Amino acid sequence: MKYYSTNKKAPLATLHEAVVKGLAPDRGLYIPEVIKPLPQSFFEHIEDMSFQEIAFEVAKSFFGEDVEENALKKIVYDTLSFDVPAVKVEDNIYALELFHGPTLAFKDVGARFMARLLQYFVRQEGKEEVNVLVATSGDTGSAVANGFLGVDGIHVYVLYPKGKVSKIQESQFTTLGQNITALEVDGVFDDCQALVKSAFMDKDLNAHMKLTSANSINVARFLPQAFYYFYAYAQMKKKGLADNLVVCVPSGNFGNICAGLFGWKAGLPIKRFIAANNANDIFYNYLKTGEYHPQPSKQTLANAMDVGDPSNFARIYDLFGGSHKAITDLISGATYSDDNIRTTLRDCYERTGYVLDPHGACGYQALKDGLQPGETGVFLETAHPAKFKEKVDAILGTDIAIPERLAAFMRGQKQMTEMPNDFQAFKQFLMKQ
Ligand SMILES: *Cc1c(COP(=O)(O)O)cnc(C)c1O
């Protein structure tokens, strides 16, 4: 399968090249040239298949031309070592809980899949180690670090801003050791990002070591997220509730919903999608007006969705041939302020006992507001509420339990290297590795 760039000015790439490069040379995002429809027989029996079995069928359709079948099966089964159950919150509304993985958020799926796929390609090339540089404001660093943990042949450097990352998040990438190095930068997130970008452009560094990125624009991170949309459908079909299925996705960079849309293109029978936003309403306004105007991001309670220029918009736009009508026929939008999020958390908890996290709250509320008679809604619960314990407890007056996996991170020994906000210092550090 060849991959083209959304900017259409770069040569076609193989999957191997697209995964190693991340961004295309014309700064566009890679998209598979063909999305093969899955056979009808697959959907007829999907409710009797396990998550891993379903995902393997979908993976063969997306990646089967480029990855040897047994290796692909191993990658899929290793990635999906945890369940993503569809849990009933109230009549007609289900939460697809994507937070039972290592760092309790959905990014674990794409991060682990990418780690194993990159390892597969690195092994084909020979012995040289690959180095992943990732700048993080919190969640991406923890998902990538845990996804790549113990994957031989790959070393990960996580750059994070000193004092700007929550203790819970920090513990998830500073306590790991092995092939994960945490670098505490004396600066803000944008400084970390700038250091990483400069490293990718530096001739000496690139001659010294093989560098790659692991951000969410990488096809190997976003596309595997399609797996759980198929599994959500299977679970709802088993309950006899799959006929008019609406899937609602709390969205920031739009990688998650984009994966669902690729699943839909491959034949997944979802009736329509809702993109739920916090106060960052750029996509919402695009749906309303047909015009896309990036904005500086606004800080909200659902901070993993604080994105003012969602990178995967380019993929969605391309997938529908740039047609505003085609996009609005399938996708509607919603936008919620922090006050809305607080009210939703309280209302849902008081009526149903279900504890939402601030991101999932946007998804839940969008279904409450937008579901039509006869439809069943599934919203993606993108993170465990304990990841945002302070906020959630303050809003609900609760003391929610911290899952053992999270508590174990917090007990770990913090190991990190302090790094001034200075490219020469960062470069010297890497040149010594
Ligand atoms: C990353 C993230 C999102 C947004 O996902 P996108 O793919 O960027 O749209 C939503 N919720 C949580 C908890 C996240 O970590």
Side-chain angles (χ1 to χ4, degrees):
M1 181 84 67
K2 287 285 201 277
Y3 289 76
Y4 67 91
S5 161
T6 50
N7 283 347
K8 315 265 163 69
K9 292 193 182 77
L12 293 176
T14 62
L15 176 63
H16 184 152
E17 289 163 343
V19 172
V20 171
K21 284 200 178 101
L23 204 62
D26 63 0
R27 312 206 62 76
L29 275 62
Y30 282 117
I31 292 191
E33 253 196 325
V34 182
I35 302 165
K36 280 185 277 184
L38 282 140
Q40 200 46 47
S41 56
F42 170 61
F43 294 108
E44 274 159 22
H45 303 293
I46 194 168
E47 70 276 21
D48 300 323
M49 297 167 75
S50 71
F51 184 21
Q52 285 94 340
E53 287 166 345
I54 291 169
F56 184 42
E57 288 307 310
V58 179
K60 277 192 283 190
S61 179
F62 286 155
F63 306 116
E65 287 176 22
D66 304 292
V67 185
E68 191 270 317
E69 185 162 323
N70 278 325
L72 185 59
K73 186 168 185 176
K74 275 206 189 108
I75 293 172
V76 169
Y77 276 60
D78 172 74
T79 299
L80 307 177
S81 56
F82 53 91
D83 195 20
V84 295
V87 174
K88 182 172 177 174
V89 176
E90 62 188 68
D91 281 349
N92 305 321
I93 298 187
Y94 287 73
L96 187 73
E97 293 183 344
L98 300 177
F99 55 63
H100 298 284
T103 73
L104 310 179
F106 80 92
K107 290 186 180 72
D108 285 329
V109 173
R112 185 69 180 172
F113 189 92
M114 180 180 166
R116 295 300 311 273
L117 189 63
L118 188 59
Q119 181 188 42
Y120 172 80
F121 287 135
V122 169
R123 280 182 179 160
Q124 280 186 340
E125 269 177 22
K127 287 207 181 77
E128 201 186 347
E129 191 178 65
V130 170
N131 299 277
V132 171
L133 303 183
V134 58
T136 186
S137 55
D139 268 356
T140 299
S142 50
V144 168
N146 283 275
F148 282 79
L149 180 64
V151 175
D152 62 292
I154 304 177
H155 198 102
V156 175
Y157 296 89
V158 180
L159 287 80
Y160 66 101
K162 180 176 181 175
K164 305 250 168 7
V165 173
S166 81
K167 284 283 166 254
I168 292 183
Q169 287 172 327
E170 195 176 285
S171 71
Q172 290 176 315
F173 52 80
T174 57
T175 60
L176 300 171
Q178 298 186 51
N179 60 330
I180 311 298
T181 301
L183 299 175
E184 186 179 77
V185 176
D186 194 4
V188 295
F189 169 68
D190 290 337
D191 298 323
C192 300
Q193 187 117 317
L195 288 175
V196 168
K197 279 194 181 150
S198 302
F200 285 130
M201 290 186 309
D202 189 89
K203 275 213 170 77
D204 305 332
L205 269 179
N206 282 282
H208 175 70
M209 64 207 301
K210 221 176 189 160
L211 295 174
T212 190
S213 69
N215 50 23
S216 61
I217 49 116
N218 198 297
V219 278
R221 267 197 64 195
F222 104 88
L223 205 45
Q225 296 170 160
F227 300 157
Y228 46 69
Y229 288 82
F230 286 83
Y231 182 51
Y233 174 80
Q235 292 181 71
M236 298 311 287
K237 191 171 178 225
K238 197 155 202 165
K239 299 180 207 293
L241 293 170
D243 281 347
N244 286 299
L245 203 57
V246 180
V247 174
C248 180
V249 189
S251 295
N253 248 327
F254 282 72
N256 203 1
I257 194 169
C258 197
L261 297 169
F262 276 76
W264 177 83
K265 275 268 176 182
L268 181 64
I270 289 173
K271 185 183 168 193
R272 62 190 186 90
F273 289 83
I274 304 175
N277 283 144
N278 56 24
N280 292 277
D281 54 3
I282 293 81
F283 186 76
Y284 178 81
N285 287 329
Y286 165 76
L287 293 175
K288 284 263 167 313
T289 64
E291 287 176 30
Y292 180 79
H293 296 298
Q295 300 285 329
S297 65
K298 295 180 192 143
Q299 273 194 19
T300 77
L301 275 172
N303 61 1
M305 290 155 48
D306 293 350
V307 181
D309 185 5
S311 40
N312 281 289
F313 178 76
R315 279 199 175 108
I316 297 176
Y317 190 76
D318 190 277
L319 195 62
F320 295 94
S323 162
H324 180 252
K325 179 173 186 310
I327 291 174
T328 52
D329 280 351
L330 185 66
I331 314 169
S332 61
T335 171
Y336 297 107
S337 67
D338 278 359
D339 274 346
N340 294 147
I341 291 173
R342 286 190 199 95
T343 307
T344 296
L345 273 172
R346 276 190 216 110
D347 168 70
C348 179
Y349 181 59
E350 278 162 19
R351 281 186 310 99
T352 71
Y354 193 86
V355 180
L356 296 160
D357 95 289
H359 307 80
C362 297
Y364 169 81
Q365 191 61 44
L367 286 177
K368 291 291 283 179
D369 292 339
L371 216 53
Q372 302 295 317
E375 291 178 339
T376 305
V378 175
F379 69 97
L380 307 197
E381 187 32 297
T382 47
H384 193 291
K387 283 198 96 166
F388 308 94
K389 179 172 167 57
E390 281 177 20
K391 291 174 185 170
V392 173
D393 281 347
I395 294 167
L396 297 181
T398 47
D399 178 16
I400 51 175
I402 297 185
E404 172 48 31
R405 218 165 323 137
L406 204 51
F409 281 122
M410 293 165 78
R411 285 194 300 269
Q413 178 71 35
K414 181 170 160 180
Q415 316 166 43
M416 52 78 187
T417 301
E418 288 179 38
M419 187 59 61
N421 178 21
D422 169 44
F423 179 64
Q424 287 312 320
F426 180 46
K427 177 172 170 176
Q428 270 171 24
F429 172 82
L430 288 178
M431 291 299 280
K432 277 190 240 142
Q433 305 297 311

